[in-house]
Amino acid sequence: MTAATKAKAPKPTNNQNNQVKIIPPPTAIDTSLLGQAVSAVLNHHTKTISANSTTTKKDLLGDDVNITVLFDIARIPKYANPKPKRIDIPHPLATSADAEVCLICKESQKPHLQTLVSKFPDYMSNITKVLTLESIRSKFPRYEQRRELLHKYDLFLADASILAMLGKALGKSFFEAKKQPIP
Protein backbone atom coordinates (compact mmCIF):
# COMPACT_ATOMS: atom_id res chain seq x y z
CA MET A 1 0.00 0.00 0.00
CA THR A 2 1.20 3.45 -0.80
CA ALA A 3 1.03 6.51 1.41
CA ALA A 4 -1.97 7.85 -0.53
CA THR A 5 -4.05 4.71 0.04
CA LYS A 6 -3.09 4.61 3.71
CA ALA A 7 -4.36 8.16 4.19
CA LYS A 8 -7.70 7.39 2.56
CA ALA A 9 -8.31 4.12 4.38
CA PRO A 10 -11.05 4.20 7.03
CA LYS A 11 -10.05 4.14 10.66
CA PRO A 12 -10.79 0.91 12.54
CA THR A 13 -12.18 1.19 16.06
CA ASN A 14 -12.54 -1.41 18.76
CA ASN A 15 -15.89 -1.87 20.40
CA GLN A 16 -16.69 -3.79 23.59
CA ASN A 17 -16.59 -7.24 21.96
CA ASN A 18 -13.09 -6.69 20.53
CA GLN A 19 -14.51 -6.66 17.03
CA VAL A 20 -13.14 -4.17 14.56
CA LYS A 21 -15.73 -1.73 13.23
CA ILE A 22 -14.88 0.30 10.14
CA ILE A 23 -15.94 3.96 10.27
CA PRO A 24 -15.93 5.53 6.79
CA PRO A 25 -14.33 8.95 6.39
CA PRO A 26 -16.65 11.97 6.05
CA THR A 27 -17.80 12.47 2.48
CA ALA A 28 -18.27 15.66 0.55
CA ILE A 29 -21.52 16.73 -1.06
CA ASP A 30 -22.21 15.02 -4.36
CA THR A 31 -22.50 17.97 -6.74
CA SER A 32 -24.27 16.03 -9.49
CA LEU A 33 -26.94 14.85 -7.05
CA LEU A 34 -27.26 18.37 -5.68
CA GLY A 35 -27.69 19.74 -9.22
CA GLN A 36 -30.43 17.21 -9.92
CA ALA A 37 -32.22 18.14 -6.70
CA VAL A 38 -32.09 21.87 -7.47
CA SER A 39 -33.37 21.37 -11.01
CA ALA A 40 -36.22 19.19 -9.71
CA VAL A 41 -37.23 21.86 -7.19
CA LEU A 42 -37.12 24.58 -9.85
CA ASN A 43 -39.18 22.45 -12.26
CA HIS A 44 -41.76 21.89 -9.54
CA HIS A 45 -41.76 25.61 -8.81
CA THR A 46 -42.40 26.57 -12.44
CA LYS A 47 -45.17 23.95 -12.72
CA THR A 48 -46.82 25.31 -9.56
CA ILE A 49 -46.68 28.87 -10.85
CA SER A 50 -48.06 27.90 -14.26
CA ALA A 51 -50.87 25.85 -12.68
CA ASN A 52 -51.84 28.72 -10.36
CA SER A 53 -51.69 31.38 -13.08
CA THR A 54 -54.06 29.52 -15.44
CA THR A 55 -56.77 28.97 -12.84
CA THR A 56 -56.80 32.37 -11.12
CA LYS A 57 -56.41 35.99 -12.11
CA LYS A 58 -53.11 37.76 -11.71
CA ASP A 59 -52.56 39.04 -8.20
CA LEU A 60 -51.88 42.67 -7.54
CA LEU A 61 -48.56 41.88 -5.86
CA GLY A 62 -47.43 39.20 -8.32
CA ASP A 63 -47.46 35.44 -8.26
CA ASP A 64 -44.34 34.72 -6.25
CA VAL A 65 -44.22 31.40 -4.45
CA ASN A 66 -41.72 30.85 -1.67
CA ILE A 67 -39.27 27.94 -1.83
CA THR A 68 -37.97 26.64 1.48
CA VAL A 69 -34.73 24.66 1.58
CA LEU A 70 -33.94 22.54 4.62
CA PHE A 71 -30.42 21.38 5.42
CA ASP A 72 -30.00 18.39 7.69
CA ILE A 73 -27.00 16.79 9.30
CA ALA A 74 -26.04 13.16 8.94
CA ARG A 75 -25.11 12.61 12.58
CA ILE A 76 -26.78 14.18 15.57
CA PRO A 77 -24.20 15.68 17.95
CA LYS A 78 -24.01 14.35 21.51
CA TYR A 79 -24.28 17.77 23.14
CA ALA A 80 -26.42 20.73 22.13
CA ASN A 81 -24.48 23.82 21.14
CA PRO A 82 -26.19 27.23 21.21
CA LYS A 83 -23.68 28.70 18.77
CA PRO A 84 -24.86 28.64 15.16
CA LYS A 85 -22.77 26.98 12.48
CA ARG A 86 -21.16 29.29 9.96
CA ILE A 87 -22.26 28.96 6.34
CA ASP A 88 -20.61 31.25 3.80
CA ILE A 89 -23.21 33.03 1.69
CA PRO A 90 -22.53 35.18 -1.37
CA HIS A 91 -24.69 38.11 -0.24
CA PRO A 92 -24.34 40.09 3.02
CA LEU A 93 -26.96 40.06 5.78
CA ALA A 94 -27.16 43.85 6.05
CA THR A 95 -27.41 45.12 2.49
CA SER A 96 -27.71 48.85 3.01
CA ALA A 97 -24.76 51.00 3.93
CA ASP A 98 -26.82 52.86 6.52
CA ALA A 99 -27.88 49.76 8.49
CA GLU A 100 -27.56 50.32 12.22
CA VAL A 101 -25.66 47.61 14.07
CA CYS A 102 -25.62 46.96 17.81
CA LEU A 103 -22.59 45.11 19.21
CA ILE A 104 -23.08 43.13 22.44
CA CYS A 105 -19.96 42.19 24.38
CA LYS A 106 -18.55 41.48 27.84
CA GLU A 107 -18.21 44.30 30.36
CA SER A 108 -14.41 44.13 30.21
CA GLN A 109 -14.31 44.46 26.39
CA LYS A 110 -16.57 47.51 26.04
CA PRO A 111 -13.92 50.30 26.38
CA HIS A 112 -11.60 48.56 23.93
CA LEU A 113 -14.36 48.03 21.37
CA GLN A 114 -15.54 51.64 21.66
CA THR A 115 -12.05 52.89 20.91
CA LEU A 116 -11.82 50.56 17.91
CA VAL A 117 -15.11 51.88 16.54
CA SER A 118 -13.95 55.47 16.97
CA LYS A 119 -10.47 54.82 15.48
CA PHE A 120 -11.71 53.01 12.37
CA PRO A 121 -14.89 54.76 11.25
CA ASP A 122 -14.44 53.61 7.64
CA TYR A 123 -14.65 49.94 8.58
CA MET A 124 -16.98 50.12 11.59
CA SER A 125 -19.26 53.00 10.69
CA ASN A 126 -22.41 50.88 10.97
CA ILE A 127 -21.79 50.00 14.62
CA THR A 128 -23.81 52.67 16.38
CA LYS A 129 -24.06 51.16 19.86
CA VAL A 130 -21.88 48.91 22.03
CA LEU A 131 -23.84 47.23 24.81
CA THR A 132 -22.82 44.76 27.47
CA LEU A 133 -24.78 41.80 28.77
CA GLU A 134 -25.07 43.48 32.16
CA SER A 135 -26.41 46.70 30.62
CA ILE A 136 -29.04 44.76 28.66
CA ARG A 137 -30.19 43.08 31.86
CA SER A 138 -30.32 46.37 33.79
CA LYS A 139 -31.52 48.87 31.16
CA PHE A 140 -34.00 46.59 29.38
CA PRO A 141 -35.69 44.47 32.05
CA ARG A 142 -39.22 44.82 30.66
CA TYR A 143 -40.58 43.18 27.53
CA GLU A 144 -41.59 46.51 25.96
CA GLN A 145 -38.10 47.93 26.41
CA ARG A 146 -36.53 44.91 24.73
CA ARG A 147 -39.00 45.25 21.82
CA GLU A 148 -37.94 48.90 21.40
CA LEU A 149 -34.30 47.76 21.35
CA LEU A 150 -35.21 45.16 18.73
CA HIS A 151 -36.79 47.74 16.42
CA LYS A 152 -34.07 50.34 16.94
CA TYR A 153 -31.26 48.34 15.23
CA ASP A 154 -31.13 46.38 11.99
CA LEU A 155 -28.50 43.84 13.03
CA PHE A 156 -27.15 42.53 16.32
CA LEU A 157 -23.62 41.17 16.71
CA ALA A 158 -22.46 39.40 19.85
CA ASP A 159 -19.33 38.03 21.43
CA ALA A 160 -19.32 34.23 21.10
CA SER A 161 -18.49 33.75 24.78
CA ILE A 162 -21.75 35.36 25.97
CA LEU A 163 -23.99 34.04 23.21
CA ALA A 164 -25.49 31.29 25.36
CA MET A 165 -26.58 33.82 28.00
CA LEU A 166 -28.13 36.27 25.54
CA GLY A 167 -31.18 34.11 24.78
CA LYS A 168 -32.68 34.64 28.22
CA ALA A 169 -31.56 38.26 28.48
CA LEU A 170 -33.08 39.32 25.14
CA GLY A 171 -36.22 37.21 25.15
CA LYS A 172 -38.16 35.37 22.49
CA SER A 173 -39.08 38.45 20.44
CA PHE A 174 -35.54 38.63 19.00
CA PHE A 175 -35.74 35.04 17.80
CA GLU A 176 -39.27 35.42 16.42
CA ALA A 177 -38.17 38.51 14.43
CA LYS A 178 -35.07 36.59 13.18
CA LYS A 179 -32.78 39.23 14.67
CA GLN A 180 -30.93 37.03 17.12
CA PRO A 181 -27.34 38.13 17.74
CA ILE A 182 -24.75 36.81 15.31
CA PRO A 183 -21.40 35.73 16.81
Side-chain angles (χ1 to χ4, degrees):
M1 287 174 51
T2 63
T5 57
K6 285 183 183 178
K8 292 182 181 179
K11 297 179 183 177
T13 60
N14 292 330
N15 59 10
Q16 294 174 346
N17 299 335
N18 291 332
Q19 296 174 348
V20 176
K21 181 179 178 184
I22 304 294
I23 299 174
T27 58
I29 295 174
D30 186 10
T31 55
S32 63
L33 182 64
L34 182 64
Q36 291 174 356
V38 168
S39 64
V41 168
L42 290 176
N43 287 338
H44 175 71
H45 180 67
T46 55
K47 287 178 185 177
T48 305
I49 288 176
S50 64
N52 288 342
S53 66
T54 59
T55 58
T56 61
K57 295 185 215 177
K58 291 226 175 209
D59 291 336
L60 179 63
L61 300 176
D63 56 353
D64 293 337
V65 177
N66 292 335
I67 297 177
T68 304
V69 179
L70 177 69
F71 292 98
D72 199 3
I73 55 175
R75 295 181 187 163
I76 299 174
K78 287 184 178 180
Y79 304 104
N81 189 356
K83 296 179 185 177
K85 300 293 182 194
R86 181 181 172 95
I87 299 175
D88 292 330
I89 55 175
H91 307 289
L93 291 174
T95 56
S96 64
D98 58 345
E100 293 189 9
V101 178
C102 178
L103 179 62
I104 304 170
C105 63
K106 292 181 188 178
E107 186 73 38
S108 60
Q109 294 175 345
K110 185 176 180 176
H112 178 66
L113 290 173
Q114 286 177 335
T115 56
L116 283 177
V117 169
S118 63
K119 278 186 179 180
F120 303 105
D122 296 339
Y123 300 106
M124 299 183 175
S125 63
N126 290 356
I127 298 177
T128 56
K129 186 73 172 173
V130 178
L131 291 174
T132 63
L133 180 63
E134 291 81 14
S135 66
I136 289 176
R137 288 178 178 158
S138 62
K139 293 179 183 177
F140 307 100
R142 296 179 48 222
Y143 179 75
E144 295 84 17
Q145 293 169 334
R146 290 192 300 260
R147 296 264 307 169
E148 289 174 9
L149 177 67
L150 169 70
H151 294 297
K152 191 172 182 181
Y153 299 102
D154 299 320
L155 185 66
F156 291 89
L157 301 176
D159 184 12
S161 62
I162 62 168
L163 193 64
M165 296 175 275
L166 278 176
K168 186 176 180 183
L170 294 174
K172 67 179 182 180
S173 59
F174 277 78
F175 293 92
E176 287 174 353
K178 304 290 187 208
K179 283 191 177 181
Q180 61 264 28
I182 301 168

